[in-house]
Amino acid sequence: MTTVETNTRRGRPGYDRDSMLDVIVEAFNDHGYDATSLGIISRRLGLSKSAVYHHFTSKEEMLELALARAVDSLRAVFEAPEAVAGPVAERVRFVVRAAVLVACEQLPYVTLLLRLRGNTDVERQAMEERRAFDARLADLFELASVEGVLRNDLQPRVVSRLAFGLVNSVVEWYQPSGALQPEALADTVVALVTGGLSAPGRVGRAG
Amino acid sequence: MTTVETNTRRGRPGYDRDSMLDVIVEAFNDHGYDATSLGIISRRLGLSKSAVYHHFTSKEEMLELALARAVDSLRAVFEAPEAVAGPVAERVRFVVRAAVLVACEQLPYVTLLLRLRGNTDVERQAMEERRAFDARLADLFELASVEGVLRNDLQPRVVSRLAFGLVNSVVEWYQPSGALQPEALADTVVALVTGGLSAPGRVGRAG
DNA sequence: GTCTATATGTTGATAGAC
DNA sequence: GTCTATCAACATATAGAC
């Protein structure tokens, strides 16, 4: 969104925090948060370590800001009107589709969130918020199962975990610079979740 | 497989490398390889750092041994007779099913492999072998598409990535100590991949 | 096979000049 | 807003006693 070298504010060239964060999050994803030293970060930013500390009070604050961005984007998905009302089948499709779009459009930030292991308080808090989203999707699948929209030969809890895993796996390979558009990918994921992969009439539905 | 405190060899109590590796890989998964210090490892093993170095020549060697175990398990899946011959639909089902079983049964080792970021030679080599497996599954999906077994409204390359992502996502939540058996999970994954989630006749196949 | 002690470098963070 | 210089704590790895 913001340019790397300059921004719209008047005075100095320098970075603003948002554009610095883009670089920092990339480093976090390459090495893992713990293993990303301030040396690595300052080298990527072309600044000294002290200059970096002028913009952030600690390494943990960088993580906190980055995770907040990912969590906020995902929260918007689950709080959208299309996610909380309407036919269950359409709510499932909306959430899956929107989650894929968020994963594509906020790729590095969502990637960071998904790779947390919970070794610090900041990580644990973000993971807890993420787990709340998992739970809401699980509730949606539970509801779908009760209403008979979901096939009833599979456990809804297992299915919802797999569905979320399917969506989240996008961050492991999707490249925003490539030809595949987020919308097309989202459509494919929704199609896979609802319809499966078999050609019609060729391979029977497994029981 | 091996006990933690003792093994079948004659002399001293101490650890053997395999049982030490179980503990070490758990630490690698908790903190990430880079961020796992020998202090953490030695504390978990109840040994001094020097004692650990009696069993392994370096931290990198620990990683190398652990990754070899994961890669070997996955290789066995793709080289099994059921994966290389027979009807394509059944080969797809076999590979997906077997990959889930390996993920469950070698959970910590496969988890370690899947979380690599490629910052060292050892990591890059293991990732390359893993990518070869990805490519073989992609070929299988390509073949399934050509033969008309796979629905032809989705790109086989995208679908194979998602299918692998679905399988791999298992390591993010599966607990071997829980009630869910690996075979049951594998059945569910295969059912999801082939049949999708919709109840028969309720939600149409997306196009 | 395990230990203490140590070598050598890197870490996150601070102080203070410009 | 950036820098150099510095800190204590920690990293991986080794030496040598028991």
Side-chain angles (χ1 to χ4, degrees), chain A residues 64-80 102 106 109-110 113 126 129-130 133:
Chain A
E64 216 168 335
L65 290 167
L67 292 177
R69 194 160 141 176
V71 168
D72 289 349
S73 299
L74 283 175
R75 200 197 329 273
V77 170
F78 284 91
E79 290 181 353
V102 166
Q106 300 283 334
Y109 293 86
V110 173
L113 177 65
E129 304 200 63
R130 204 194 109 194
F133 301 142

Side-chain angles (χ1 to χ4, degrees), chain B residues 36-38 49-50 53 59:
Chain B
T36 304
S37 70
L38 282 165
K49 291 188 279 180
S50 304
Y53 267 92
K59 190 177 148 182

Side-chain angles (χ1 to χ4, degrees), chain B residues 111-196:
Chain B
T111 301
L112 185 66
L113 177 64
L114 293 180
R115 289 193 188 150
L116 294 182
R117 304 265 62 90
N119 294 312
T120 67
D121 280 340
V122 171
E123 292 184 45
R124 277 186 288 271
Q125 201 193 324
M127 287 174 74
E128 207 172 311
E129 303 199 64
R130 206 195 108 192
R131 243 176 255 127
F133 300 141
D134 287 21
R136 292 183 73 160
L137 185 66
D139 288 345
L140 217 49
F141 273 99
E142 197 93 51
L143 197 59
S145 183
V146 169
E147 288 197 10
V149 174
L150 199 72
R151 51 192 293 187
N152 60 2
D153 58 334
L154 305 176
Q155 296 176 41
R157 293 274 144 182
V158 174
V159 163
S160 78
R161 279 189 187 278
L162 288 170
F164 224 154
L166 176 62
V167 171
N168 292 344
S169 72
V170 163
V171 305
E172 298 296 330
W173 58 270
Y174 181 70
Q175 289 174 307
S177 57
L180 182 61
Q181 294 300 308
E183 286 77 12
L185 176 57
D187 288 342
T188 301
V189 173
V190 170
L192 202 164
V193 167
T194 57

